[in-house]
Amino acid sequence: MSCADQCKARTQRRKNSAGLRSMNAQSEQVTLKRLDRAFRHFFRRVKNGEMPGFPRFKSLHRYSGWGYKTHGDGWKLHPGESGKHGRLYLQGVGLVPVSGKARTQGECKTCEILHKAGKWYASVTLEVEAIPRERGVETCAFDWGLETFLTVATHQQGIETVPNPRHLRRQLTELKRLGQDVSRKIRMAQTISGRKKHFPVSRHLRKAIQHLARLHAKIARSRKDFLHQTSAWLVNRFGAIATEALDVKNMVHHGGARKRGLNREIHAAAPGAFLKLTRTKAEEAGSWYEEAPTRTLKPTQRCHACWRLPDEKKTLSDRWHQCPHCGAACSRDENAARVLLRWLKMRLAGESGSGREPSEAWSGIRPSETMAPALKRETHAIP
């Protein structure tokens, strides 16, 4: 049954149901499109021989929210002074106070109401005039790691480091306590009801699950804020940025509990999300952003001074770089950052010794200011 057929059937049901007529028609269409998208991806995975992953039924307690297609039809945003905070009108709910401010003002297009960890959010899409970000004129290359989140090599300042905040590790004790509390209450409910599945959820169990979910949400917000601030700092200061391409799936060890702590720290640092944020902000600012081919360049193995590879491959536990050919010595992360910086210099100069096709030298000129309107998504918190 296609999405169009479901929309036609929904129209007929609205005529006979006062409950459906009281809800916004476009919101129902958005939900049907979301359902259709989930099943289209399911059938695509089946056709390609991938793990199918049948769409999961979302109960009232797991439903993430709903959406609106047109501003003024079922919803309307009334921003406060200077576009900060304000109120949000929702059909059937009324005016709701919201907190937040769009980074770039524009015309409201769509809205998604989200429910996460006991809190409500309004994700509003705005059509804005694309204004380039502010960016610097320096050149840098950074190496991502766990011991130090970033090791940044620059021509002007040498080596700078960004410490790893380790948001997850600082909350591990509390997470363990809350998780054990939830597990104990679940086992008790299963024992009392005699059922492993579909057992009644008590008020105390639901409250314990909410406490655990709120702590996970707090850690996620702290991580997201740190990644945004760090990527914005890089783009605002540097006009040409280089790093190595990371394959997070191959970095994580599958099977066995010996590497469980390392896997947890890699996921907690979110290297893929950080590179994506940096790449997006650099594109908005018109900066030069490059990701070096790791298998070809081998920045953690190659010496930044003589550009030669060692006779014996360094392991992950070797945290100090000592070149057997030229005698250069520094930390492993500093050596990788300097290798990437030298590789970036070759890329900017158009040299062919970088393992990839040479490109034009960076002139430091921002792209054209006349850009097409872009869609920006801003999220407002609903108290």
Side-chain angles (χ1 to χ4, degrees):
M1 195 174 183
S2 66
C3 183
D5 295 335
Q6 295 182 71
C7 289
K8 293 178 181 179
R10 178 196 57 84
T11 303
Q12 296 297 326
R13 290 189 62 187
R14 280 178 63 90
K15 297 179 180 179
N16 304 322
S17 173
L20 288 178
R21 287 198 303 269
S22 64
M23 294 188 293
N24 183 260
Q26 290 194 357
S27 296
E28 298 173 2
Q29 294 176 6
V30 171
T31 303
L32 289 178
K33 286 186 177 181
R34 185 186 303 173
L35 178 66
D36 180 70
R37 189 185 308 117
F39 273 98
R40 281 194 287 108
H41 288 309
F42 165 73
F43 289 119
R44 173 184 55 80
R45 291 190 293 267
V46 172
K47 184 178 180 181
N48 296 337
E50 305 174 9
M51 184 69 70
F54 191 83
R56 183 176 180 180
F57 172 75
K58 297 296 192 304
S59 65
L60 178 63
H61 300 290
R62 299 183 61 89
Y63 196 65
S64 59
W66 65 94
Y68 300 91
K69 293 200 304 184
T70 306
H71 187 232
D73 188 349
W75 76 284
K76 191 170 185 180
L77 180 63
H78 302 276
E81 295 184 6
S82 302
K84 189 175 183 180
H85 307 320
R87 296 183 299 174
L88 178 68
Y89 170 77
L90 299 177
Q91 181 179 339
V93 179
L95 287 173
V96 181
V98 296
S99 61
K101 179 182 179 180
R103 183 168 64 90
T104 306
Q105 299 298 323
E107 182 183 357
C108 297
K109 288 297 182 180
T110 64
C111 177
E112 291 280 341
I113 305 299
L114 308 175
H115 185 249
K116 297 180 180 179
K119 293 188 177 182
W120 292 92
Y121 300 90
S123 181
V124 181
T125 303
L126 307 175
E127 185 176 13
V128 303
E129 292 294 332
I131 302 176
R133 280 178 169 268
E134 294 295 330
R135 63 169 170 82
V137 295
E138 301 180 46
T139 304
C140 83
F142 66 85
D143 177 68
W144 175 88
L146 294 178
E147 188 175 355
T148 301
F149 186 78
L150 291 184
T151 302
V152 185
T154 65
H155 291 296
Q156 294 79 5
Q157 304 295 332
I159 296 296
E160 302 179 30
T161 59
V162 177
N164 190 348
R166 302 190 185 276
H167 301 290
L168 180 61
R169 179 184 291 186
R170 293 188 309 211
Q171 300 287 350
L172 272 181
T173 303
E174 185 67 11
L175 281 173
K176 183 179 179 180
R177 186 187 69 82
L178 293 177
Q180 290 175 346
D181 190 28
V182 171
S183 298
R184 184 176 64 254
K185 286 181 170 58
I186 289 178
R187 289 195 301 268
M188 186 179 300
Q190 291 174 342
T191 303
I192 294 175
S193 63
R195 290 178 290 179
K196 292 292 184 180
K197 294 183 179 180
H198 308 293
F199 53 86
V201 179
S202 65
R203 180 174 59 88
H204 294 287
L205 175 56
R206 196 178 305 280
K207 190 174 181 180
I209 294 174
Q210 290 176 354
H211 286 170
L212 181 61
R214 287 172 185 171
L215 184 55
H216 275 294
K218 179 182 177 181
I219 297 172
R221 290 194 302 267
S222 301
R223 180 191 301 115
K224 184 178 180 181
D225 181 67
F226 170 75
L227 297 181
H228 271 292
Q229 291 193 22
T230 306
S231 58
W233 168 75
L234 282 173
V235 174
N236 291 342
R237 178 176 172 183
F238 302 103
I241 305 171
T243 185
E244 62 175 321
L246 299 177
D247 190 352
V248 182
K249 290 184 178 181
N250 290 335
M251 292 167 57
V252 176
H253 299 266
H254 301 281
R258 190 168 61 90
K259 297 292 185 179
R260 185 180 301 168
L262 177 61
N263 294 347
R264 182 181 62 236
E265 292 295 328
I266 292 176
H267 287 305
F274 175 73
L275 294 188
K276 183 178 180 180
L277 289 175
T278 306
R279 187 186 311 116
T280 302
K281 289 180 172 60
E283 182 180 353
E284 292 178 354
S287 301
W288 184 295
Y289 176 83
E290 289 275 357
E291 291 186 5
T294 306
R295 295 183 181 274
T296 304
L297 184 62
K298 299 180 180 180
T300 57
Q301 302 291 329
R302 190 179 301 275
C303 178
H304 71 276
C306 64
W307 208 247
R308 298 175 65 180
L309 294 173
D311 299 330
E312 295 184 4
K313 183 179 178 180
K314 289 184 288 187
T315 63
L316 189 61
S317 59
D318 297 329
R319 307 310 302 170
W320 187 259
H321 168 73
Q322 182 74 43
C323 182
H325 305 290
C326 65
C330 61
S331 67
R332 178 192 181 103
D333 296 339
E334 178 180 344
N335 175 73
R338 293 187 182 276
V339 168
L340 292 168
L341 182 61
R342 183 172 173 179
W343 176 85
L344 178 61
K345 289 173 59 180
M346 292 189 293
R347 292 284 291 168
L348 297 178
E351 299 180 14
S352 59
S354 57
R356 291 171 63 181
E357 292 297 325
S359 59
E360 297 180 357
W362 177 60
S363 61
I365 300 177
R366 189 193 302 273
S368 175
E369 299 287 345
T370 57
M371 300 182 181
L375 292 179
K376 296 288 184 179
R377 186 177 295 275
E378 307 290 350
T379 304
H380 297 263
I382 301 177

